[in-house]
């Protein structure tokens, strides 16, 4: 039984739920076969943040040049890691805007 869904226009490969906030981060990108035939700007290799319950997207983090295959929040919820087919693992520390963010319905 489906509890929640987070809709994007590209395939998603990974998701992680925040241990301290009602947030989920999802990542992926265009189909792997198409990566070499288009520019990285259209690949949409963003980590996308959604409110866990309301399913509304509220932020994106760019940085990868290939589909994101894995995501994980740090246990303290103050950062996350993403790994992609571009060969990089990126560690992102959240700025105060994210930490202080309050979702308004």
């Amino acid at each position: 039984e489906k509890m929640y869904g987070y809709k994007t226009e590209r395939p998603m490969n990974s998701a992680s739920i925040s241990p301290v906030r009602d947030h989920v981060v999802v990542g992926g990108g265009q189909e792997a076969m198409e990566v070499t035939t288009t520019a990285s700007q259209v690949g949409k290799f963003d980590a996308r943040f959604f409110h866990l319950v309301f399913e509304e997207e509220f932020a994106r983090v760019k940085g990868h040049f290939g589909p994101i295959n894995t995501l994980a929040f740090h246990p303290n919820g103050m950062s996350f890691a993403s790994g992609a087919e571009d060969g990089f693992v990126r560690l992102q520390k959240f700025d105060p805007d994210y930490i202080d963010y309050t979702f308004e319905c």
Side-chain angles (χ1 to χ4, degrees):
E1 175 181 331
K2 176 185 157 189
M3 292 178 61
Y4 300 105
Y6 309 98
K7 185 138 177 78
T8 67
E9 69 280 356
R10 301 285 185 187
M12 292 292 106
N13 299 331
S14 184
S16 182
I17 298 172
S18 171
V20 297
R21 311 281 313 251
D22 287 333
H23 298 164
V24 61
V25 60
V26 300
Q30 69 191 54
E31 297 287 344
M33 294 181 350
E34 299 172 9
V35 171
T36 58
T37 61
T38 59
S40 65
Q41 295 86 355
V42 296
K44 302 201 178 186
F45 310 122
D46 307 341
R48 300 171 71 164
F49 289 81
F50 290 83
H51 189 278
L52 182 67
V53 176
F54 301 118
E55 303 175 7
E56 293 288 330
E57 182 178 354
F58 64 87
R60 293 184 188 196
V61 176
K62 298 183 181 292
H64 285 290
F65 298 101
I68 296 172
N69 290 328
T70 189
L71 291 159
F73 277 95
H74 188 278
N76 70 10
M78 300 298 182
S79 61
F80 77 101
S82 58
E85 289 183 24
D86 60 7
F88 290 96
V89 173
R90 298 194 181 277
L91 304 175
Q92 308 276 350
K93 183 177 176 184
F94 294 119
D95 63 17
D97 288 339
Y98 174 82
I99 295 164
D100 297 336
Y101 177 79
T102 303
F103 189 85
E104 296 179 22
C105 1

